[in-house]
Amino acid sequence: MASSSIIKTIPIMANPNFNVCHKLELLKEEGRSGDPKHQEGEEEVLSYEFQEMLESLPKERGWRTRYLYLFQGFWCQSKEIQAIMSFQKHFKSFQNDVVLATIPKSGTTWLKALTYTVLNRHRFDPVSSTTDHPLLASNPHDLVPFFEYKLYANGDVPDLSGLASPRTFATHVPFGSLKDSIEEPGVKVVYLCRNPFDTFISSWHYINNIKSEAVSPVSLEEGFDLYCRGVIGFGPFWEHMLGYWKESLRTPEKVLFLRYEDLKQDMESNLKKLASFLGVPFTEEEEQKGVVHSISDLCSFENLKKLEVNKSSKSIKNFENRHLFRKGEVSDWINYLSPPQAERLSALVDDKLGGSGLTFRYN
């Protein structure tokens, strides 16, 4: 094996002013009605200039939209490109900002829940908050917003100055396209990495569940080939992982690199690591009180999956929250990949990540 949307108002923060200051110049105001094609995500009415720019980019068959475009060295949809361009142009980092980074389907929802609860545990005691904790009524994606899917989506430029410190955000953007926006001293980045085998299977299930009816399903074989060629949202996966891995080695005080499988195996030790990195370490009194264990229970996959808000509501675009919670297991890939496919992906991981020091557990 290889070695290698508007944010809901939440009570703990100063209410941010998410009124749009202005729109991304590249997007026409026309087409923002209820046009179903616009709502699908990639078929919105684009300005001539933006469309010209898109046509200049390499493109491949998309997973849940018609095309993926190679933008700044990674693959993404047209609407994501708009949001990323707006984010890169307008976002101003503050000291003590926290940015959670992942490639899709590698534990993003889980990381948001954990980080939110750790940072806000003195306002919402995870030991005694049995009915009023925000996680019980809000999906983690509503509590920790994405740059590209919420804050800067649709060309919006929100006023984030009213958010209480530490402001906490999330992104799927590779480090190379994020770094210039988070140069402010004191900004912390937490990256969660999942083994590429389970990441692929989780992505394949999720995307086929949420894709537009206008786009044909992606078969396991076709999706696997695209994945191994790097053609998946925010991929190639190896470049995404390596970007954050190398930065965590270069600046460990700025980037914390966590592994999904390690969290599954020993949640409490990794929670302590996370809290210390964020500058809010658990005290001995908290540990004796069971705070770490309570956070682990509150944010567990099993607990989050059973909550009503995660069964019926929608937090990212028009995608139902229930699709965010499938199995959350390590080694589910064994049930899907053939031996030749496993060998191909194993060889690819060795080739792309070998010698980097980045390794995974698959079982």
Side-chain angles (χ1 to χ4, degrees), residues 191-274:
Y191 185 78
L192 182 58
C193 185
R194 189 180 190 182
N195 81 69
F197 286 65
D198 284 323
T199 300
F200 164 67
I201 293 300
S202 184
S203 296
W204 177 68
H205 277 288
Y206 181 70
I207 292 171
N208 275 331
N209 280 328
I210 67 169
K211 70 170 187 62
S212 162
E213 292 183 0
V215 179
S216 60
V218 178
S219 69
L220 183 69
E221 292 72 20
E222 182 180 14
F224 183 77
D225 182 66
L226 288 167
Y227 186 71
C228 288
R229 293 196 290 114
V231 184
I232 192 167
F234 301 93
F237 70 82
W238 56 87
E239 292 185 4
H240 200 287
M241 295 172 179
L242 274 178
Y244 285 96
W245 170 249
K246 290 179 178 179
E247 192 62 24
S248 74
L249 299 179
R250 192 178 75 85
T251 59
E253 73 285 353
K254 188 179 185 72
V255 179
L256 174 66
F257 194 97
L258 297 174
R259 291 172 172 83
Y260 183 97
E261 294 76 22
D262 292 345
L263 281 171
K264 293 288 290 187
Q265 184 177 51
D266 187 355
M267 169 72 82
E268 295 192 16
S269 292
N270 281 277
L271 271 175
K272 293 177 186 178
K273 183 189 297 186
L274 175 63

Coordinates of all heavy atoms in Angstrom, one line a residue, residues 191-274:
Y191 N -5.3 22.6 8.5 CA -5.5 21.8 7.3 C -5.8 20.4 7.7 O -5.1 19.8 8.5 CB -4.3 21.8 6.3 CG -4.6 21.0 5.0 CD1 -5.3 21.6 4.0 CD2 -4.1 19.8 4.8 CE1 -5.5 21.0 2.8 CE2 -4.3 19.1 3.6 CZ -5.0 19.7 2.6 OH -5.2 19.1 1.4
L192 N -6.9 19.8 7.3 CA -7.3 18.4 7.5 C -7.2 17.6 6.3 O -7.8 17.9 5.2 CB -8.7 18.3 8.1 CG -9.2 16.9 8.5 CD1 -8.3 16.3 9.6 CD2 -10.6 17.0 9.0
C193 N -6.4 16.6 6.3 CA -6.1 15.7 5.2 C -6.6 14.3 5.4 O -6.5 13.8 6.5 CB -4.5 15.7 5.0 SG -4.0 14.8 3.5
R194 N -7.2 13.7 4.4 CA -7.7 12.4 4.5 C -7.1 11.5 3.4 O -6.6 12.1 2.4 CB -9.2 12.4 4.2 CG -10.0 11.1 4.4 CD -11.5 11.3 4.2 NE -12.3 10.1 4.6 CZ -13.6 10.0 4.4 NH1 -14.2 11.0 3.8 NH2 -14.2 9.0 4.9
N195 N -6.9 10.3 3.6 CA -6.2 9.4 2.7 C -6.9 9.5 1.3 O -8.2 9.6 1.2 CB -6.0 8.0 3.1 CG -7.3 7.1 3.0 OD1 -7.7 6.8 1.8 ND2 -7.9 6.8 4.1
P196 N -6.2 9.6 0.2 CA -6.8 9.8 -1.1 C -7.8 8.7 -1.6 O -8.7 9.0 -2.4 CB -5.5 9.8 -2.0 CG -4.4 10.1 -1.2 CD -4.7 9.5 0.2
F197 N -7.7 7.5 -1.0 CA -8.6 6.4 -1.4 C -10.0 6.7 -0.9 O -11.0 6.7 -1.7 CB -8.1 5.1 -0.8 CG -6.9 4.5 -1.5 CD1 -5.7 5.2 -1.5 CD2 -7.0 3.3 -2.2 CE1 -4.6 4.6 -2.1 CE2 -5.9 2.8 -2.9 CZ -4.7 3.5 -2.8
D198 N -10.1 7.0 0.4 CA -11.4 7.3 1.0 C -12.0 8.7 0.5 O -13.2 8.9 0.4 CB -11.4 7.3 2.5 CG -11.3 5.9 3.0 OD1 -12.0 5.0 2.5 OD2 -10.6 5.6 4.0
T199 N -11.1 9.6 0.3 CA -11.5 10.9 -0.3 C -12.2 10.8 -1.6 O -13.2 11.4 -1.9 CB -10.3 11.9 -0.4 OG1 -9.7 12.0 0.9 CG2 -10.7 13.2 -0.9
F200 N -11.6 9.9 -2.5 CA -12.2 9.7 -3.8 C -13.6 9.1 -3.6 O -14.6 9.6 -4.3 CB -11.4 8.8 -4.6 CG -12.1 8.2 -5.8 CD1 -12.6 9.1 -6.8 CD2 -12.5 6.9 -5.9 CE1 -13.3 8.6 -7.9 CE2 -13.2 6.4 -6.9 CZ -13.6 7.2 -8.0
I201 N -13.8 8.0 -2.8 CA -15.1 7.4 -2.7 C -16.1 8.3 -2.1 O -17.2 8.4 -2.6 CB -14.9 6.1 -1.8 CG1 -14.1 5.0 -2.6 CG2 -16.3 5.5 -1.5 CD1 -14.6 4.6 -3.9
S202 N -15.7 9.1 -1.1 CA -16.6 10.0 -0.5 C -17.1 11.1 -1.5 O -18.2 11.5 -1.6 CB -16.0 10.7 0.7 OG -16.9 11.5 1.4
S203 N -16.1 11.6 -2.3 CA -16.4 12.6 -3.3 C -17.4 12.0 -4.4 O -18.3 12.7 -4.8 CB -15.1 13.0 -4.0 OG -14.2 13.7 -3.1
W204 N -17.1 10.8 -4.8 CA -17.9 10.2 -5.9 C -19.4 10.1 -5.4 O -20.3 10.4 -6.1 CB -17.3 8.9 -6.3 CG -18.1 8.1 -7.3 CD1 -18.3 8.4 -8.6 CD2 -18.9 6.9 -7.1 NE1 -19.2 7.5 -9.2 CE2 -19.5 6.6 -8.3 CE3 -19.1 6.1 -5.9 CZ2 -20.3 5.4 -8.4 CZ3 -19.9 5.0 -6.1 CH2 -20.5 4.7 -7.3
H205 N -19.6 9.6 -4.2 CA -20.9 9.5 -3.7 C -21.6 10.8 -3.5 O -22.7 11.0 -4.0 CB -20.9 8.8 -2.3 CG -20.8 7.3 -2.3 ND1 -21.9 6.5 -2.7 CD2 -19.8 6.4 -2.0 CE1 -21.6 5.2 -2.6 NE2 -20.3 5.2 -2.2
Y206 N -20.9 11.8 -2.9 CA -21.5 13.1 -2.7 C -21.9 13.8 -3.9 O -23.0 14.3 -4.1 CB -20.5 13.9 -1.9 CG -21.0 15.3 -1.5 CD1 -22.0 15.4 -0.6 CD2 -20.5 16.4 -2.1 CE1 -22.5 16.7 -0.2 CE2 -21.0 17.7 -1.7 CZ -22.0 17.8 -0.8 OH -22.5 19.1 -0.5
I207 N -21.0 13.8 -4.9 CA -21.2 14.6 -6.1 C -22.4 14.0 -6.9 O -23.2 14.7 -7.4 CB -20.0 14.7 -7.0 CG1 -18.9 15.6 -6.2 CG2 -20.3 15.3 -8.3 CD1 -17.6 15.6 -6.9
N208 N -22.5 12.7 -7.0 CA -23.6 12.1 -7.7 C -24.9 12.3 -6.9 O -26.0 12.3 -7.6 CB -23.4 10.6 -7.9 CG -22.6 10.3 -9.1 OD1 -22.6 11.0 -10.1 ND2 -21.8 9.2 -9.1
N209 N -24.9 12.6 -5.6 CA -26.1 12.9 -4.9 C -26.6 14.3 -5.1 O -27.8 14.6 -5.0 CB -25.9 12.7 -3.4 CG -26.0 11.2 -3.0 OD1 -26.7 10.4 -3.6 ND2 -25.2 10.8 -2.0
I210 N -25.7 15.2 -5.4 CA -26.1 16.7 -5.4 C -26.0 17.3 -6.8 O -26.4 18.4 -7.0 CB -25.2 17.5 -4.5 CG1 -23.7 17.5 -5.0 CG2 -25.2 17.0 -3.1 CD1 -22.8 18.6 -4.3
K211 N -25.5 16.5 -7.8 CA -25.4 17.1 -9.1 C -26.7 17.5 -9.7 O -27.8 17.0 -9.4 CB -24.7 16.1 -10.0 CG -25.6 14.9 -10.4 CD -25.0 14.0 -11.4 CE -26.0 12.9 -11.8 NZ -27.2 13.5 -12.4
S212 N -26.6 18.4 -10.7 CA -27.8 18.8 -11.5 C -28.3 17.7 -12.3 O -27.5 16.8 -12.8 CB -27.3 20.0 -12.4 OG -28.3 20.1 -13.4
E213 N -29.6 17.6 -12.5 CA -30.2 16.6 -13.3 C -29.8 16.7 -14.8 O -29.9 15.8 -15.5 CB -31.8 16.6 -13.2 CG -32.3 16.2 -11.8 CD -33.8 16.2 -11.8 OE1 -34.4 16.6 -12.8 OE2 -34.3 15.9 -10.7
A214 N -29.3 17.9 -15.1 CA -28.9 18.1 -16.5 C -27.6 17.5 -16.8 O -27.1 17.4 -17.9 CB -28.8 19.7 -16.8
V215 N -26.9 17.1 -15.7 CA -25.5 16.5 -15.9 C -25.7 15.0 -15.7 O -26.2 14.6 -14.7 CB -24.5 17.1 -14.9 CG1 -23.2 16.4 -15.1 CG2 -24.4 18.6 -15.2
S216 N -25.1 14.2 -16.6 CA -25.2 12.7 -16.4 C -24.4 12.3 -15.2 O -23.4 12.9 -14.9 CB -24.8 12.0 -17.7 OG -23.4 12.4 -18.0
P217 N -24.8 11.2 -14.6 CA -24.0 10.7 -13.4 C -22.6 10.3 -13.9 O -22.3 9.9 -15.0 CB -24.8 9.4 -13.0 CG -26.2 9.6 -13.6 CD -26.0 10.4 -14.9
V218 N -21.7 10.4 -12.9 CA -20.3 10.0 -13.1 C -20.2 8.6 -12.7 O -20.4 8.3 -11.5 CB -19.3 10.9 -12.4 CG1 -17.9 10.5 -12.6 CG2 -19.5 12.4 -12.9
S219 N -19.8 7.7 -13.6 CA -19.6 6.3 -13.1 C -18.4 6.2 -12.3 O -17.5 7.1 -12.3 CB -19.5 5.4 -14.4 OG -18.2 5.6 -15.0
L220 N -18.3 5.1 -11.5 CA -17.1 4.9 -10.7 C -15.8 4.9 -11.5 O -14.8 5.5 -11.2 CB -17.2 3.6 -9.8 CG -16.1 3.4 -8.9 CD1 -16.1 4.4 -7.7 CD2 -16.2 1.9 -8.3
E221 N -15.9 4.2 -12.6 CA -14.7 4.1 -13.5 C -14.3 5.4 -14.1 O -13.1 5.7 -14.1 CB -15.0 3.1 -14.6 CG -15.2 1.6 -14.2 CD -16.5 1.4 -13.4 OE1 -17.5 2.2 -13.6 OE2 -16.6 0.4 -12.7
E222 N -15.3 6.2 -14.6 CA -14.9 7.5 -15.2 C -14.4 8.4 -14.1 O -13.5 9.1 -14.3 CB -16.2 8.1 -15.9 CG -15.9 9.4 -16.5 CD -17.1 10.0 -17.2 OE1 -18.2 9.6 -17.0 OE2 -16.9 10.9 -18.0
G223 N -15.1 8.4 -12.9 CA -14.7 9.3 -11.9 C -13.3 9.0 -11.4 O -12.5 9.9 -11.1
F224 N -13.0 7.7 -11.3 CA -11.7 7.3 -10.9 C -10.6 7.7 -11.8 O -9.5 8.2 -11.4 CB -11.6 5.7 -10.7 CG -10.3 5.2 -10.2 CD1 -10.0 5.3 -8.8 CD2 -9.4 4.6 -11.0 CE1 -8.8 4.8 -8.3 CE2 -8.2 4.1 -10.5 CZ -7.9 4.2 -9.2
D225 N -10.9 7.6 -13.1 CA -9.9 8.0 -14.1 C -9.6 9.5 -14.0 O -8.5 10.0 -14.1 CB -10.3 7.7 -15.5 CG -9.3 8.0 -16.6 OD1 -8.2 7.5 -16.6 OD2 -9.6 8.9 -17.4
L226 N -10.7 10.3 -13.9 CA -10.6 11.8 -13.7 C -9.8 12.1 -12.5 O -8.9 13.0 -12.5 CB -12.0 12.4 -13.6 CG -12.8 12.5 -14.9 CD1 -14.2 12.9 -14.6 CD2 -12.2 13.5 -15.9
Y227 N -10.1 11.4 -11.4 CA -9.4 11.7 -10.1 C -7.9 11.4 -10.2 O -7.1 12.2 -9.8 CB -10.0 10.7 -9.1 CG -9.5 11.0 -7.6 CD1 -9.9 12.1 -6.9 CD2 -8.8 10.0 -7.0 CE1 -9.5 12.3 -5.6 CE2 -8.3 10.1 -5.7 CZ -8.7 11.3 -5.0 OH -8.3 11.5 -3.7
C228 N -7.6 10.3 -10.9 CA -6.1 9.9 -11.0 C -5.4 10.9 -12.0 O -4.2 11.0 -11.9 CB -6.0 8.5 -11.5 SG -6.4 7.2 -10.3
R229 N -6.2 11.6 -12.8 CA -5.6 12.6 -13.7 C -5.6 14.0 -13.0 O -5.1 14.9 -13.6 CB -6.3 12.6 -15.0 CG -6.1 11.4 -15.9 CD -6.5 11.6 -17.3 NE -8.0 11.7 -17.5 CZ -8.6 12.8 -17.9 NH1 -7.9 13.9 -18.2 NH2 -9.9 12.9 -18.1
G230 N -6.1 14.0 -11.8 CA -6.1 15.3 -11.1 C -7.3 16.1 -11.3 O -7.5 17.2 -10.7
V231 N -8.3 15.6 -12.2 CA -9.4 16.4 -12.6 C -10.6 16.2 -11.6 O -11.4 15.3 -11.8 CB -9.9 16.1 -14.0 CG1 -11.0 17.0 -14.4 CG2 -8.7 16.3 -15.0
I232 N -10.5 17.0 -10.5 CA -11.6 17.0 -9.5 C -11.6 18.3 -8.8 O -10.5 19.0 -8.9 CB -11.4 15.8 -8.5 CG1 -12.7 15.7 -7.6 CG2 -10.2 16.0 -7.6 CD1 -12.7 14.4 -6.8
G233 N -12.7 18.7 -8.3 CA -12.7 20.1 -7.7 C -11.6 20.4 -6.8 O -11.3 19.6 -5.8
F234 N -10.8 21.4 -7.1 CA -9.7 21.9 -6.3 C -8.5 21.0 -6.4 O -7.5 21.2 -5.7 CB -10.1 22.2 -4.9 CG -11.2 23.2 -4.8 CD1 -12.5 22.8 -4.7 CD2 -10.9 24.6 -4.8 CE1 -13.5 23.7 -4.6 CE2 -11.9 25.5 -4.7 CZ -13.2 25.1 -4.6
G235 N -8.5 20.0 -7.3 CA -7.4 19.1 -7.5 C -6.4 19.7 -8.5 O -6.7 20.7 -9.1
P236 N -5.3 18.9 -8.8 CA -5.0 17.6 -8.4 C -4.9 17.4 -6.8 O -4.3 18.3 -6.2 CB -3.7 17.3 -9.0 CG -3.6 18.2 -10.2 CD -4.3 19.5 -9.7
F237 N -5.4 16.3 -6.3 CA -5.4 16.2 -4.9 C -4.0 16.2 -4.3 O -3.8 16.7 -3.2 CB -6.1 14.9 -4.5 CG -5.4 13.6 -4.8 CD1 -4.4 13.0 -4.0 CD2 -5.8 12.9 -6.0 CE1 -3.8 11.9 -4.4 CE2 -5.1 11.7 -6.3 CZ -4.1 11.2 -5.5
W238 N -3.0 15.6 -5.0 CA -1.6 15.5 -4.5 C -1.0 16.9 -4.4 O -0.3 17.2 -3.4 CB -0.8 14.6 -5.4 CG -0.7 15.0 -6.8 CD1 0.1 15.8 -7.4 CD2 -1.6 14.5 -7.9 NE1 -0.1 15.9 -8.8 CE2 -1.1 15.1 -9.1 CE3 -2.6 13.6 -7.9 CZ2 -1.7 14.8 -10.3 CZ3 -3.2 13.3 -9.1 CH2 -2.8 13.9 -10.3
E239 N -1.3 17.8 -5.3 CA -0.8 19.2 -5.2 C -1.4 19.9 -4.1 O -0.8 20.7 -3.4 CB -0.9 19.9 -6.5 CG -0.1 19.3 -7.6 CD -0.2 20.1 -8.9 OE1 -0.8 21.2 -8.9 OE2 0.5 19.7 -9.9
H240 N -2.7 19.7 -3.9 CA -3.5 20.4 -2.8 C -2.9 19.9 -1.4 O -2.5 20.8 -0.6 CB -4.9 20.0 -2.8 CG -5.9 20.9 -2.1 ND1 -6.0 20.9 -0.7 CD2 -6.8 21.8 -2.6 CE1 -6.9 21.8 -0.4 NE2 -7.4 22.3 -1.4
M241 N -2.7 18.7 -1.2 CA -2.2 18.1 0.0 C -0.7 18.6 0.2 O -0.3 19.0 1.3 CB -2.2 16.6 0.0 CG -3.7 16.1 0.0 SD -3.7 14.3 -0.2 CE -5.4 13.9 -0.2
L242 N 0.1 18.5 -0.8 CA 1.5 18.9 -0.7 C 1.7 20.4 -0.4 O 2.6 20.7 0.4 CB 2.3 18.5 -2.0 CG 2.8 17.1 -2.1 CD1 3.5 17.0 -3.5 CD2 3.8 16.8 -1.0
G243 N 0.8 21.2 -0.9 CA 0.9 22.6 -0.7 C 0.9 23.0 0.8 O 1.7 23.7 1.3
Y244 N -0.2 22.4 1.4 CA -0.3 22.7 2.9 C 0.7 21.9 3.7 O 1.1 22.4 4.8 CB -1.8 22.4 3.3 CG -2.8 23.4 2.8 CD1 -3.5 23.2 1.6 CD2 -3.0 24.5 3.6 CE1 -4.4 24.2 1.2 CE2 -3.9 25.5 3.1 CZ -4.6 25.3 2.0 OH -5.5 26.3 1.5
W245 N 1.0 20.7 3.3 CA 2.0 19.9 4.0 C 3.3 20.6 4.1 O 3.9 20.7 5.2 CB 2.1 18.5 3.4 CG 3.3 17.7 3.9 CD1 4.4 17.3 3.2 CD2 3.4 17.1 5.2 NE1 5.2 16.6 4.0 CE2 4.6 16.4 5.2 CE3 2.5 17.1 6.3 CZ2 5.0 15.7 6.4 CZ3 3.0 16.4 7.4 CH2 4.2 15.7 7.5
K246 N 3.8 21.1 3.0 CA 5.1 21.7 2.9 C 5.1 23.0 3.7 O 6.1 23.4 4.4 CB 5.5 22.0 1.5 CG 5.9 20.8 0.7 CD 6.2 21.1 -0.8 CE 6.7 19.8 -1.5 NZ 7.0 20.1 -2.9
E247 N 4.0 23.8 3.7 CA 3.9 25.0 4.4 C 3.8 24.7 5.9 O 4.4 25.5 6.7 CB 2.7 25.8 4.0 CG 2.7 27.2 4.5 CD 3.8 28.1 4.0 OE1 4.4 27.8 3.0 OE2 4.2 29.1 4.7
S248 N 3.2 23.6 6.3 CA 3.2 23.3 7.7 C 4.6 22.9 8.3 O 4.9 23.1 9.5 CB 2.2 22.1 8.0 OG 2.8 20.8 7.5
L249 N 5.4 22.4 7.4 CA 6.8 22.1 7.8 C 7.6 23.4 7.8 O 8.5 23.5 8.7 CB 7.4 21.1 6.8 CG 6.8 19.7 6.7 CD1 7.5 18.9 5.7 CD2 6.8 19.0 8.0
R250 N 7.4 24.3 6.9 CA 8.1 25.5 6.8 C 7.7 26.5 7.9 O 8.6 27.2 8.5 CB 7.9 26.2 5.4 CG 8.9 27.3 5.1 CD 8.6 27.9 3.7 NE 7.4 28.7 3.7 CZ 7.4 30.0 4.0 NH1 8.5 30.6 4.4 NH2 6.3 30.7 4.0
T251 N 6.4 26.6 8.2 CA 5.9 27.6 9.2 C 4.9 26.9 10.1 O 3.7 27.1 10.0 CB 5.3 28.8 8.5 OG1 4.2 28.4 7.7 CG2 6.3 29.6 7.7
P252 N 5.4 26.0 11.0 CA 4.5 25.2 11.9 C 3.7 26.1 12.8 O 2.6 25.7 13.3 CB 5.4 24.3 12.6 CG 6.7 24.9 12.6 CD 6.8 25.6 11.2
E253 N 4.1 27.3 13.0 CA 3.4 28.2 13.9 C 2.2 28.8 13.2 O 1.3 29.4 13.8 CB 4.3 29.4 14.4 CG 4.7 30.4 13.4 CD 5.7 30.0 12.4 OE1 6.3 28.8 12.5 OE2 6.0 30.7 11.4
K254 N 2.2 28.7 11.8 CA 1.1 29.3 11.0 C 0.1 28.2 10.5 O -1.1 28.5 10.4 CB 1.6 30.1 9.9 CG 0.6 30.9 9.1 CD 1.2 31.7 7.9 CE 0.2 32.6 7.2 NZ -0.2 33.7 8.0
V255 N 0.6 27.1 10.1 CA -0.2 26.0 9.5 C -0.1 24.7 10.3 O 1.0 24.2 10.5 CB 0.3 25.7 8.1 CG1 -0.6 24.6 7.5 CG2 0.2 27.0 7.2
L256 N -1.2 24.3 10.8 CA -1.3 23.0 11.5 C -1.9 21.9 10.5 O -2.9 22.1 10.0 CB -2.2 23.1 12.7 CG -2.5 21.8 13.5 CD1 -1.2 21.2 14.1 CD2 -3.6 22.0 14.6
F257 N -1.2 20.8 10.4 CA -1.6 19.8 9.4 C -2.1 18.6 10.3 O -1.4 18.0 11.0 CB -0.4 19.4 8.6 CG -0.7 18.5 7.4 CD1 -0.9 19.1 6.1 CD2 -0.9 17.1 7.5 CE1 -1.2 18.3 5.0 CE2 -1.2 16.4 6.4 CZ -1.3 17.0 5.1
L258 N -3.4 18.3 10.1 CA -4.0 17.2 10.8 C -4.4 16.1 9.8 O -4.7 16.4 8.7 CB -5.3 17.7 11.6 CG -5.1 18.7 12.7 CD1 -6.4 19.2 13.2 CD2 -4.2 18.1 13.8
R259 N -4.5 14.9 10.3 CA -4.9 13.8 9.5 C -6.3 13.2 10.0 O -6.5 13.0 11.2 CB -3.9 12.7 9.5 CG -2.6 13.0 8.8 CD -1.5 11.9 9.0 NE -0.4 12.1 8.2 CZ 0.7 12.9 8.6 NH1 0.6 13.6 9.7 NH2 1.7 12.9 7.8
Y260 N -7.2 13.0 9.1 CA -8.5 12.5 9.3 C -8.4 11.2 10.1 O -9.1 11.0 11.1 CB -9.2 12.3 8.0 CG -10.7 11.8 8.1 CD1 -11.7 12.7 8.0 CD2 -11.0 10.5 8.2 CE1 -13.0 12.3 8.1 CE2 -12.3 10.0 8.2 CZ -13.3 11.0 8.2 OH -14.6 10.5 8.2
E261 N -7.6 10.3 9.7 CA -7.4 9.0 10.3 C -6.9 9.1 11.7 O -7.3 8.3 12.6 CB -6.5 8.1 9.5 CG -7.1 7.8 8.1 CD -7.0 8.9 7.1 OE1 -6.1 9.8 7.3 OE2 -7.7 8.9 6.1
D262 N -6.1 10.1 12.0 CA -5.6 10.3 13.4 C -6.7 10.8 14.3 O -6.8 10.4 15.5 CB -4.4 11.3 13.4 CG -3.2 10.7 12.7 OD1 -3.1 9.5 12.5 OD2 -2.3 11.6 12.4
L263 N -7.6 11.6 13.8 CA -8.7 12.1 14.5 C -9.6 10.9 14.9 O -10.2 10.9 16.0 CB -9.5 13.2 13.8 CG -8.9 14.6 13.8 CD1 -9.6 15.5 12.8 CD2 -8.9 15.2 15.1
K264 N -9.8 10.1 13.9 CA -10.7 8.9 14.2 C -10.1 8.0 15.2 O -10.8 7.4 16.0 CB -10.9 8.1 12.9 CG -11.7 8.8 11.8 CD -13.2 8.9 12.1 CE -13.9 7.6 12.1 NZ -15.4 7.7 12.2
Q265 N -8.8 7.9 15.2 CA -8.1 6.9 16.1 C -8.0 7.5 17.5 O -8.2 6.8 18.5 CB -6.8 6.6 15.6 CG -6.0 5.5 16.5 CD -4.7 5.1 15.8 OE1 -3.9 6.0 15.5 NE2 -4.5 3.8 15.7
D266 N -7.7 8.8 17.6 CA -7.4 9.4 18.9 C -7.9 10.9 18.9 O -7.1 11.8 18.7 CB -5.9 9.4 19.3 CG -5.6 9.8 20.7 OD1 -6.5 10.3 21.4 OD2 -4.4 9.8 21.1
M267 N -9.2 11.1 19.1 CA -9.8 12.4 19.0 C -9.2 13.3 20.0 O -8.9 14.5 19.8 CB -11.3 12.3 19.1 CG -12.0 13.6 19.3 SD -12.0 14.6 17.8 CE -13.4 13.8 17.0
E268 N -9.1 12.9 21.3 CA -8.8 13.8 22.4 C -7.4 14.3 22.3 O -7.2 15.5 22.5 CB -9.1 13.1 23.7 CG -10.6 12.8 23.9 CD -10.9 12.3 25.3 OE1 -10.1 12.6 26.2 OE2 -12.0 11.8 25.5
S269 N -6.4 13.5 21.9 CA -5.1 14.0 21.7 C -5.0 15.1 20.6 O -4.3 16.1 20.8 CB -4.1 12.9 21.4 OG -4.0 12.0 22.5
N270 N -5.7 14.9 19.6 CA -5.7 15.8 18.5 C -6.5 17.1 18.8 O -6.2 18.2 18.3 CB -6.3 15.2 17.2 CG -5.2 14.3 16.5 OD1 -4.4 14.8 15.7 ND2 -5.3 13.0 16.8
L271 N -7.5 17.0 19.6 CA -8.2 18.2 20.1 C -7.3 19.0 20.9 O -7.3 20.3 20.8 CB -9.4 17.8 20.9 CG -10.8 17.5 20.2 CD1 -11.8 17.0 21.1 CD2 -11.2 18.8 19.5
K272 N -6.5 18.4 21.8 CA -5.5 19.2 22.6 C -4.5 19.9 21.7 O -4.1 21.0 21.9 CB -4.8 18.2 23.5 CG -5.7 17.7 24.6 CD -5.0 16.7 25.5 CE -5.9 16.0 26.5 NZ -5.2 15.0 27.3
K273 N -4.1 19.2 20.6 CA -3.1 19.8 19.7 C -3.8 21.0 19.0 O -3.1 22.0 18.8 CB -2.7 18.7 18.6 CG -1.7 19.2 17.6 CD -1.5 18.2 16.5 CE -0.9 16.9 17.1 NZ -0.6 15.9 15.9
L274 N -5.0 20.8 18.6 CA -5.7 21.9 17.9 C -5.9 23.1 18.8 O -5.6 24.2 18.4 CB -7.1 21.4 17.4 CG -8.1 22.4 16.8 CD1 -7.5 23.0 15.5 CD2 -9.4 21.8 16.5

